[in-house]
Amino acid sequence: MIKVVYEIVPHDGGWAYRFRDVYSEAFPTHSEAVEAARIVAAEQQIGGDSAEISWQDESGKWHEEYADGGDRPETEVIDGQMHFPPVDTAPGA
């Protein structure tokens, strides 16, 4: 299973969450960046519809495969040594 880790970092005069080398928008406060990252992490847990997909690899070859809409990555939000669980996005939460 894939694990997606969002890291809270200073960015563009404020705070952002980062996944690998991709940054979110800058938030004015640290707590706003943490909350935004927790929401995004929780949204990663919501399954979608299964579908047949086509994609092209770097050599130009096309592939077709079945994508299971319920196959979701594990997510985590980190800030230094602190770990934040995703927010609960279940209905009624």
Side-chain angles (χ1 to χ4, degrees):
M1 174 177 277
I2 295 173
K3 183 171 186 177
V4 176
V5 178
Y6 297 102
E7 182 180 9
I8 308 302
V9 294
H11 179 65
D12 227 5
W15 293 89
Y17 58 88
R18 175 178 70 191
F19 173 65
R20 295 186 180 153
D21 293 332
V22 179
Y23 292 82
S24 71
E25 65 186 280
F27 295 91
T29 67
H30 180 269
S31 61
E32 288 175 296
V34 169
E35 185 65 15
R38 292 179 68 211
I39 290 169
V40 169
E43 288 173 351
Q44 285 285 333
Q45 300 300 303
I46 300 170
D49 295 329
S50 298
E52 293 288 333
I53 62 169
S54 299
W55 55 277
Q56 188 176 22
D57 65 21
E58 57 277 347
S59 67
K61 182 178 178 184
W62 281 92
H63 303 268
E64 291 191 16
E65 66 183 63
Y66 176 77
D68 180 356
D71 184 19
R72 307 308 306 155
E74 179 183 349
T75 61
E76 184 177 14
V77 176
I78 61 170
D79 177 19
Q81 297 301 313
M82 295 184 68
H83 298 262
F84 301 92
V87 294
D88 187 357
T89 59

